[in-house]
Amino acid sequence: MGNSESQEDFDEFARFEGIDTLGYRVLGVQPNSPASKAGLVSFFDFLVGANGKILLASGEGLEEGEEYDDVDFPALCQEFLNKPLELLVWNIKCQEKRLVTITPSDSWGGAGLLGVTIRLDDYGGADERLIRVLSVEPSSPAAICGLVEHQDYLLGTTADSFDSTATLAQVLQQYVDKVVEVYVYNT
């Protein structure tokens, strides 16, 4: 009516229906990769949609025997090889969604079409499933690597996100007397 437009006309995310809390968590981004150029952020970004479709269906309204209508993300990346692909990304730190354009490529010089390590994860409350560094013993491995008490959070490795101290302990057991790279967020 008149000069006003509907709210949906202004909502660039309106075409992504069925957003649930399941997505692909970005665990690692390779330097100079398509994912790096698109601005994806390790641990805080979740890929939830692509080209107007939610990647992982909620299953709501499915009848018994019906299958989920999930997007085959690897096949979609292959289909969009060297062509722009629009992703809907949820950032748990900012609690904001954004659209990013990424161009899958097999010639960027690294592994994979996007240069990103992802894992299926639940982003509902993921910002609360972090491990805060409460104390650091002098001369300990934590002190040597520069962890800061009450300011640092251990997020995970490129293969695991630390959603509990049990997960952290399990990873550290695998790396006794070895170097382990851990993503750390400093407040």
Side-chain angles (χ1 to χ4, degrees):
M1 49 194 211
N3 289 335
S4 69
E5 295 183 36
S6 72
Q7 179 63 27
E8 190 168 306
D9 292 336
F10 289 109
D11 186 357
E12 62 185 327
F13 309 109
R15 67 185 177 283
F16 290 94
E17 293 182 23
I19 293 178
D20 209 350
T21 62
L22 209 54
Y24 292 108
R25 185 176 210 155
V26 175
L27 294 179
V29 177
Q30 297 176 39
N32 302 314
S33 67
S36 173
K37 290 176 183 170
L40 294 180
V41 180
S42 295
F43 283 91
F44 294 115
D45 279 347
F46 282 76
L47 310 180
V48 295
N51 282 359
K53 293 183 180 179
I54 294 302
L55 292 175
L56 301 159
S58 68
E60 196 172 302
L62 284 181
E63 299 293 326
E64 190 174 331
E66 290 183 325
E67 293 188 22
Y68 289 95
D69 191 22
D70 293 341
V71 172
D72 183 344
F73 190 58
L76 185 66
C77 289
Q78 190 65 48
E79 179 184 332
F80 277 82
L81 186 64
N82 300 315
K83 296 183 277 190
L85 175 64
E86 184 182 67
L87 297 178
L88 177 62
V89 177
W90 175 255
N91 184 286
I92 63 169
K93 182 178 172 223
C94 302
Q95 295 291 299
E96 293 179 353
K97 55 190 169 184
R98 71 184 191 281
L99 293 173
V100 300
T101 301
I102 192 166
T103 303
S105 171
D106 56 5
S107 61
W108 66 270
L113 298 179
L114 301 179
V116 66
T117 303
I118 58 175
R119 187 189 84 181
L120 183 64
D121 201 352
D122 180 2
Y123 59 85
D127 57 329
E128 299 165 8
R129 295 188 310 266
L130 305 172
I131 297 176
R132 187 172 189 188
V133 177
L134 297 178
S135 66
V136 177
E137 295 296 319
S139 303
S140 68
I144 292 167
C145 75
L147 290 179
V148 180
E149 296 176 355
H150 303 286
Q151 292 182 22
D152 285 342
Y153 291 84
L154 305 180
L155 303 175
T157 67
T158 56
D160 296 288
S161 56
F162 297 155
D163 54 5
S164 70
T165 54
T167 304
L168 172 62
Q170 183 179 22
V171 168
L172 294 178
Q173 277 295 319
Q174 294 173 5
Y175 287 92
V176 171
D177 295 324
K178 299 177 195 170
V179 173
V180 59
E181 291 185 16
V182 174
Y183 286 95
V184 176
Y185 173 68
N186 179 279
T187 58

